[in-house]
Structure formats: C-alpha cells, structure tokens
Amino acid sequence: MTSTPPLVRSFGYVGFETAKLPAWVEFAPKVIGAMIGETLPGGGLALRLDDWSYRLALVPGPAERLAFIGWEVSDAAALTALEDRLVAAGMPLTRGSDEEVRSRRVQGLAWCLDPSGIRTEFFFGAERASVEFAAGRPLSGFVTGDLGLGHLVLQPSDPDATLQFYRDALAFRLTDRLHAHLYFLGCNQRHHSVGVANIGGPARVLHLMLEVGDIDDVGRALDLCIDGGIRASMLGLHSNDRMTSIYITTPSGWEIEYGWQGMLVDSGSWVTETIDRPSVWGHRQLDVDHPPAPRRFQQVIQ
Ligand SMILES: [Fe+2]
C-alpha cells in the first residue's frame, strides 16, 4: 500500500491494432454488446460502452496487438502533476499533438512508452457522445463511470519494470498477487485496473475485462458463443476480485473477460494479499467442436 495518491483516476480507453476489422464489426455488437461508434482519423473504429464517444479503438494494421492504453486524470493540473512525477521517475511524457487529442476525443493528453515499450497515455476531458448509447444486443449495460472501462492484463516483455512503473512511478495500489506469476494493481475502487503477468512467452495482451450489470448479460454471451462457435470458457468465479465471468476469444485471438459483480475495495484500508489460485470454481475451456447441447427437456418443449 502506498500513501502517495495515484493521480490516475481510471482506465479510460484502450486501442488495439487489428487486420480483422470486418470480423470485429460483426463480433463487437452481437457478442459483447458494444456500440459501433465513429470512424477515427486514420481509419480506426471507435467502440462505445457508455456515454463516452469511445472506449475502445480498433486501428487497422498488420498485427493483432495492443496499440495504446489511456489512463484518465481529473484535469489539466493533474496531468501537469503527473508529468512532474514521471520526470522525477526518469520517464518524461510527450504532449499529444492536436491530431492525437482530436483522435482520442479528449481535451488534453500526454504519453510515454512504458518500460516494455507499450504506448501509455494520460488524458483528461473525455468527450461525451451526442448520440445516446444503445447496446448492440439486449444488455443491462456496462459498469464503467468512476471505475473506468474495466481492466487489462498484460504479459509485458519486462514484467518487473512494468510492475515498478505502475506501483512506484504511478502509485497504483498493489491489491494482490498470485504468487510471483501475476500482479493486480488498482487506481480506484475497482479491485484492479491492470494486471501484470510474469508467465513467460512473447509480450502480449492476455485479456481485457468488461463488466456488465447483470449475470443474465454474461449468460447470454455464453449462449451466443456456444451457438456461434466462438471460443470461450465456461462460467467461473475469481478468487481475488470475486468476479463471475467467462473468457471470450476475440477475432484478434486475445480474450475478453466478460464479468459481473466484481469486488470494490477501499484503498485506504486495503492490505496487499497473496492468492494461490485464480478461480474458486469454473473458468474451464469450452470445447467448441463439441459444444454443450440443450437439455432434453429444453429440446422437447422448443
Ligand atoms: Fe481479469
């Protein structure tokens, strides 16, 4: 636990490069219930989860990879304070160009490459959309607001340095750890907004968590994956943030954790914990070649 306030308020937006934009345009509204937003400068596509103009950006390109992370600060003064803190940590920020500010739909931003080379942006003044949010399929809605858009779990090329970046330079709370394999860090009441994995293999994004307002939303997503032949896990309950969730493989190959009722924590009194397993139950992989069938009773009455 740190006594320094984090300055970052929430996980605001995230961008992914993809060569599979048409598949995403089909997948995002129909399976996860996102709303297709505006086309961004350079041909990227905004996806909406709430009243913000965009929360996810899909940027056309040859790779399936994380392109940038956007962390929200409260205002211009907070961004300046954060710049001072990162200069002191030896990681000076670069102010975003006018085009970058317009593209991200914010009032101001600055960015750096994190120790693993991931473009990491800090911004204030997210634009609210002029068109009301309408989910892409029946859905109670996404849990965002002050908690941010969800959480992101990364396997960086340098996990130790990335952990230091978030915990020491940015003053995120180390909420808990799964031995030395996975570190969960938070900047607000959400149990964690970023996870740093140390499990080896190439640097990659492991998953993006989106929280929905009702367990029915998760159940419907699982049905849609089974019916559509989309790789997913069965339901499970996480041991640390008590999230009931499934994991859905996106068209890009990385996963979306789609969850309900994650734990909120009080930063002031929280003590870092160590957990010994990720799930209390479940999160078994669904075999898409042999999907579960409706029970005989359900077949009879249909
Ligand atoms: Fe997660």
Side-chain angles (χ1 to χ4, degrees), residues 151-153 184 192 207-209 238 241 243 245 247 257:
H151 69 233
L152 191 63
V153 176
F184 300 91
H192 57 283
H207 70 261
L208 169 70
M209 189 285 293
H238 275 306
D241 66 358
M243 182 81 73
S245 59
Y247 286 83
E257 180 185 5

Side-chain angles (χ1 to χ4, degrees), residues 200-232:
R204 60 203 185 278
V205 56
L206 296 180
H207 70 261
L208 169 70
M209 189 285 293
L210 303 177
E211 185 173 355
V212 284
D214 197 307
I215 188 65
D216 292 351
D217 302 326
V218 182
R220 285 198 189 94
L222 181 55
D223 278 353
L224 287 164
C225 290
I226 292 170
D227 293 343
I230 297 167
R231 284 183 61 80

Side-chain angles (χ1 to χ4, degrees), residues 14-298:
V14 62
F16 295 96
E17 181 180 328
T18 180
K20 298 174 180 172
L21 204 53
W24 268 101
V25 170
E26 179 87 4
F27 168 84
K30 287 188 179 171
V31 180
I32 63 174
M35 178 180 181
I36 302 289
E38 297 172 71
T39 299
L40 301 165
L45 185 65
L47 295 181
R48 290 181 54 196
L49 305 177
D50 54 17
D51 63 339
W52 286 32
S53 290
Y54 96 119
R55 287 288 196 172
L56 278 75
L58 300 170
V59 184
E64 306 300 322
R65 68 174 188 95
L66 177 64
F68 54 86
I69 309 172
W71 295 104
E72 182 191 25
V73 299
S74 54
D75 52 24
L79 186 59
T80 301
L82 190 69
E83 280 180 306
D84 292 345
R85 186 180 291 181
L86 287 177
V87 165
M91 299 203 65
L93 298 182
T94 301
R95 283 278 169 164
S97 67
D98 290 347
E99 187 184 343
E100 287 170 333
V101 166
R102 278 197 301 275
S103 175
R104 301 293 194 260
R105 303 291 190 257
V106 297
Q107 289 180 12
L109 75 85
W111 63 275
C112 65
L113 298 180
D114 83 358
S116 293
I118 298 169
R119 183 178 165 114
T120 304
E121 302 177 353
F122 304 94
F123 71 92
F124 64 91
E127 177 188 276
R128 268 51 178 179
S130 57
V131 178
E132 194 172 342
F133 174 73
R137 66 165 173 83
L139 189 78
S140 72
F142 292 95
V143 178
T144 57
D146 291 344
L147 299 177
L149 81 92
H151 69 233
L152 191 63
V153 176
L154 306 169
Q155 169 60 64
S157 57
D158 189 339
D160 290 341
T162 302
L163 177 61
Q164 281 176 16
F165 175 65
Y166 280 105
R167 185 189 57 195
D168 302 335
L170 293 174
F172 276 37
R173 171 193 68 244
L174 179 61
T175 313
D176 59 27
R177 59 167 76 88
L178 176 60
H179 299 301
H181 304 309
L182 197 46
Y183 298 86
F184 300 91
L185 300 116
C187 58
N188 55 39
Q189 277 195 298
R190 199 187 283 287
H191 177 279
H192 57 283
S193 292
V194 65
V196 178
N198 185 18
I199 57 174
R204 60 203 185 278
V205 56
L206 296 180
H207 70 261
L208 169 70
M209 189 285 293
L210 303 177
E211 185 173 355
V212 284
D214 197 307
I215 188 65
D216 292 351
D217 302 326
V218 182
R220 285 198 189 94
L222 181 55
D223 278 353
L224 287 164
C225 290
I226 292 170
D227 293 343
I230 297 167
R231 284 183 61 80
S233 79
M234 303 300 283
L235 268 176
L237 175 70
H238 275 306
S239 52
N240 60 349
D241 66 358
R242 308 296 295 181
M243 182 81 73
T244 303
S245 59
I246 61 173
Y247 286 83
I248 304 169
T249 302
T250 68
S252 291
W254 49 267
E255 293 181 313
I256 286 177
E257 180 185 5
Y258 200 77
W260 170 72
Q261 213 167 56
M263 177 199 283
L264 300 181
V265 306
D266 176 357
S267 291
S269 59
W270 186 265
V271 176
T272 302
E273 295 181 336
T274 298
I275 57 172
D276 61 3
R277 55 186 175 149
S279 303
V280 178
W281 52 263
H283 291 132
R284 311 291 177 94
Q285 192 65 30
L286 174 69
D287 182 351
V288 286
D289 295 326
H290 301 92
R295 294 175 61 235
R296 187 158 179 274
F297 177 76
Q298 292 170 305

